[in-house]
Amino acid sequence: MKTNEILSGEPVLHEIAPVYDKHSRILILGSFPSVKSRESGFFYGHPQNRFWKVLSGILEVPVPVTIDEKKEMLLEHRIGVWDVIASCRITGSSDSSIKDVVPNDFEKILSTAKLERICANGATAWKLYERYVKQSTGMDAVKLPSTSPANAAWSLERLIECWKEYIK
């Protein structure tokens, strides 16, 4: 096992609050925050993750740098962001190692925002949503290609083109 990987005997808790408000119409869901995101205290904190570049490209705005800038960009464009999982056992940031899933409770978001679409950032987030959350929300989720650096088959330009159909 690599030194930066932790196989937690205890579940790891999701401690990043969702970003949304009553004007949010699209909710983008990841699976669970990466180690870098957990360290930075905000979504998509790994510098190689293309999430913020993809959204900036679609929305035609500068790439946000600070957490406040990221929140402002999301809310200004009626986009919410959260993750499917509230807690799980995970090795490092590896989605494939996720075990003992406890899903997040989406009731507060659903009762506040009039969501028109839920998008999953990658196949794992989509599968987890389908398995643990869809029944409680009653909404289908669009499976979008992951912005993770592990998804090297998709260029930034190709991600923007694909995501644009569902986000703009």
Side-chain angles (χ1 to χ4, degrees):
M1 186 178 303
K2 295 178 186 171
T3 57
N4 65 344
E5 292 184 346
I6 300 167
L7 179 56
S8 178
E10 294 297 317
V12 179
L13 297 177
H14 190 306
E15 297 182 339
I16 304 170
V19 176
Y20 71 99
D21 65 17
K22 67 181 183 178
H23 303 291
S24 299
R25 297 297 174 258
I26 297 169
L27 179 62
I28 302 172
L29 297 174
S31 54
F32 190 76
S34 69
V35 170
K36 291 284 186 194
S37 294
R38 295 190 305 263
E39 287 172 356
S40 73
F42 202 64
F43 302 97
Y44 305 103
H46 193 291
Q48 299 304 312
N49 192 300
R50 298 165 290 177
F51 181 82
W52 299 109
K53 289 179 183 176
V54 167
L55 284 187
S56 296
I58 293 167
L59 302 172
E60 300 175 354
V61 298
V63 177
V65 178
T66 68
I67 291 173
D68 285 341
E69 288 172 351
K70 292 171 183 178
K71 287 179 182 178
E72 183 179 326
M73 181 185 79
L74 292 168
L75 296 176
E76 183 177 314
H77 291 92
R78 299 180 175 212
I79 297 171
V81 173
W82 207 17
D83 290 305
V84 174
I85 300 173
S87 71
C88 65
R89 290 181 48 214
I90 186 169
T91 304
S93 300
S94 172
D95 278 354
S96 64
S97 73
I98 292 173
K99 295 181 177 21
D100 303 328
V101 169
V102 175
N104 272 314
D105 181 356
F106 288 80
E107 181 55 38
K108 188 169 183 190
I109 293 176
L110 293 171
S111 66
T112 302
K114 291 178 175 48
L115 295 179
E116 297 169 1
R117 177 173 296 133
I118 295 176
C119 297
N121 185 354
T124 301
W126 182 81
K127 287 177 195 167
L128 290 164
Y129 177 84
E130 289 286 309
R131 181 171 180 185
Y132 296 103
V133 180
K134 181 179 175 178
Q135 185 174 355
S136 67
T137 67
M139 294 181 70
D140 289 325
V142 175
K143 179 172 48 171
L144 295 174
S146 174
T147 60
S148 166
N151 185 16
W154 283 74
S155 68
L156 177 61
E157 294 74 21
R158 196 169 159 216
L159 286 168
I160 290 170
E161 203 54 42
C162 181
W163 277 57
K164 188 184 295 186
E165 180 179 344
Y166 301 99
I167 302 300
K168 189 113 180 175

